[in-house]
């Protein structure tokens, strides 16, 4: 449903989209309220940093894909768990968007289900028809993906603990944090530096925002292709990423490289979070394969490759120090 309203000389474009969810309203609201987890649960979201939160009011820094590119903005949200309502307002939307506001609502339905709705209103600089159409297309695509994904996750709420897998691996480095971070940041060089990476295409149109496609060799000799977006924070020694095209066993995969110096050296850590794609388990791992086997398989496969990369970063930093 869409409407256009003229307010104080501005044309405010309003959109509402809803979906029925076969899950309790409290479960659906809980998934909405935890915005830091959105990159794992919502396809358009790449990364969310919570900057402030007092239990009701929060300020977020968000990165998401829209209209074929990565966009970033600050957002204010007000949570109302009693009413199961979250109001939001973008503080610095990117052109052509002038303002973007909205409300998430979750209503209880008979039989234990719920109705999830997103009400959005926006204005566009100059209100040019082509810009309005672009925003409408991007909003429709992202809203549809978010609602569909949240519905799918919420309806499996009783098994989410089994489907979501998070873990990390760390390596100690006797070398400068700057050299460790440099190795992880120069992902375009990985085909020459990282044996399990056979191909990597990289673009970085915005400094610190890397879009890449990578071919990785697995332990059984196969090659799989993934596509990812990485957000780099050099001063914090962090690189966060989201795979936008995942292997068959994963619905979603996010991660983070962290370089932490201390008095005696550096700890470099690789963290992964995954939502497993249950319907592909037997096709990939064979008839009768279980979810527990899949968790072990994915943990071992991801951990093996990321630990190999951590050790290469360690060798790079420690070798450079010896050469000096």
């Amino acid at each position: 449903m869409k409407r256009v309203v003229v307010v104080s000389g501005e044309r405010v474009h309003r959109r509402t989209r809803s979906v029925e969810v076969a899950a309790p309203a409290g479960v659906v609201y809980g998934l909405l309220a935890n915005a830091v987890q959105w990159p794992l649960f919502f396809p358009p979201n790449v990364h969310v940093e919570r900057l402030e939160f007092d239990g009701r009011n929060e300020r977020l820094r968000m990165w998401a894909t829209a209209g074929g590119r990565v966009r970033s903005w600050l957002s204010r949200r007000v949570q109302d768990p009693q009413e199961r309502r979250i109001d939001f307002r973008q503080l610095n939307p990117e052109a052509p968007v002038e303002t973007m506001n909205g409300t998430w609502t979750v209503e209880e339905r008979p039989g234990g289900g719920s109705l999830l709705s997103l009400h959005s209103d926006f204005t566009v600089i100059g209100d040019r028809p082509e810009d309005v159409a672009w925003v409408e297309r991007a909003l429709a695509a992202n809203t549809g993906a978010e609602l569909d994904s949240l519905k799918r996750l919420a309806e499996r709420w009783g098994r989410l603990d089994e489907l979501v897998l998070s873990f990390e691996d760390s390596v100690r480095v006797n070398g400068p944090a700057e050299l460790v971070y440099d190795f992880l940041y120069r992902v375009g060089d990985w085909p020459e530096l990282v044996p399990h990476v056979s191909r990597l295409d990289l673009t970085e149109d915005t400094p610190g925002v890397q879009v890449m496609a990578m071919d990785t060799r697995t332990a059984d000799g196969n090659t799989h292709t993934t596509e990812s977006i990485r957000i780099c924070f050099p001063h914090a020694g962090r690189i966060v990423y989201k795979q936008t095209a995942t292997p068959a066993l994963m619905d979603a995969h996010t991660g983070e490289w962290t370089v932490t110096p201390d008095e005696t050296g550096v700890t470099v850590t690789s963290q992964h979070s995954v939502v497993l794609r249950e319907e592909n388990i037997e096709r990939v791992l064979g008839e009768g394969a279980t979810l527990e086997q899949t968790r072990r398989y994915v943990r071992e496969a991801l951990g093996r490759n990321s630990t190999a990369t951590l050790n290469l970063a360690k060798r790079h930093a420690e070798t450079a120090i010896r050469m000096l």
Side-chain angles (χ1 to χ4, degrees):
M1 180 175 65
K2 63 181 183 179
R3 291 187 298 156
V4 179
V5 180
V6 178
V7 179
S8 301
E10 294 182 336
R11 290 174 61 85
V12 180
H13 304 266
R14 291 181 174 164
R15 305 289 181 268
T16 296
R17 185 162 176 173
S18 302
V19 64
E20 296 276 356
V21 184
V27 169
V28 177
Y29 180 84
L31 292 171
L32 280 175
N34 187 5
V36 174
Q37 282 284 73
W38 281 17
L40 190 61
F41 295 157
F42 290 173
N45 290 88
V46 176
H47 182 60
V48 177
E49 295 260 325
R50 178 178 275 162
L51 306 177
E52 300 172 10
F53 187 49
D54 63 7
R56 177 177 171 85
N57 301 282
E58 63 184 332
R59 187 166 65 97
L60 305 168
R61 179 75 172 182
M62 311 185 81
W63 288 260
T65 56
R69 57 175 289 232
V70 181
R71 293 176 173 261
S72 180
W73 63 89
L74 289 170
S75 187
R76 286 275 187 193
R77 299 205 316 170
V78 180
Q79 297 191 20
D80 187 340
Q82 284 72 38
E83 295 294 325
R84 297 193 184 95
R85 171 190 176 108
I86 300 174
D87 297 315
F88 66 86
R89 176 170 61 92
Q90 289 189 12
L91 301 181
N92 60 334
E94 291 190 20
V97 178
E98 186 172 36
T99 64
M100 178 69 72
N101 309 288
T103 301
W104 293 93
T105 60
V106 185
E107 304 172 45
E108 290 185 351
R109 302 297 257 186
S114 55
L115 179 68
L116 169 64
S117 301
L118 175 58
H119 314 273
S120 304
D121 67 68
F122 66 90
T123 62
V124 172
I125 298 169
D127 206 48
R128 297 192 307 169
E130 59 269 33
D131 290 337
V132 172
W134 183 92
V135 175
E136 287 181 335
R137 287 194 301 271
L139 186 61
N142 282 12
T143 299
E146 290 168 350
L147 292 176
D148 291 346
S149 180
L150 196 143
K151 170 183 169 68
R152 189 169 62 252
L153 283 165
E155 290 181 345
R156 297 182 290 174
W157 67 275
R159 304 181 61 241
L160 272 184
D161 285 346
E162 298 175 81
L163 294 170
V164 175
L165 171 66
S166 295
F167 64 92
E168 64 181 37
D169 297 295
S170 296
V171 169
R172 288 289 293 173
V173 181
N174 184 22
E178 293 79 6
L179 288 178
V180 178
Y181 183 87
D182 179 68
F183 183 93
L184 298 172
Y185 173 78
R186 289 188 297 109
V187 68
D189 296 337
W190 281 10
E192 289 75 44
L193 301 173
V194 180
H196 62 262
V197 175
S198 58
R199 179 192 67 91
L200 196 146
D201 297 328
L202 175 70
T203 58
E204 190 172 348
D205 295 331
T206 301
V209 179
Q210 300 177 330
V211 180
M212 54 183 264
M214 180 171 66
D215 289 344
T216 303
R217 284 184 289 269
T218 59
D220 56 11
N222 292 322
T223 298
H224 66 245
T225 300
T226 58
E227 297 175 6
S228 303
I229 298 170
R230 307 204 318 168
I231 312 296
C232 304
F233 303 94
H235 298 299
R238 299 171 61 216
I239 299 172
V240 300
Y241 63 87
K242 175 173 181 169
Q243 285 191 350
T244 52
T246 55
L249 287 175
M250 303 180 202
D251 257 336
H253 177 202
T254 63
E256 179 170 350
W257 302 96
T258 307
V259 181
T260 308
D262 56 38
E263 312 80 46
T264 61
V266 172
T267 300
V268 54
T269 300
S270 171
Q271 184 272 333
H272 298 270
S273 292
V274 171
V275 179
L276 299 174
R277 185 175 292 154
E278 192 172 15
E279 61 270 23
N280 286 345
I281 289 177
E282 290 196 347
R283 179 171 68 82
V284 176
L285 298 183
E287 187 176 353
T290 66
L291 192 53
E292 184 56 37
Q293 289 174 313
T294 307
R295 290 174 64 88
R296 288 197 301 269
Y297 178 88
V298 170
R299 199 276 181 245
E300 290 169 4
L302 292 178
R304 183 187 310 115
N305 282 352
S306 59
T307 299
T309 304
L310 292 175
N311 283 319
L312 289 167
K314 168 184 172 74
R315 186 174 70 182
H316 171 74
E318 293 179 347
T319 301
I321 288 299
R322 286 196 296 270
M323 291 177 62
L324 292 175

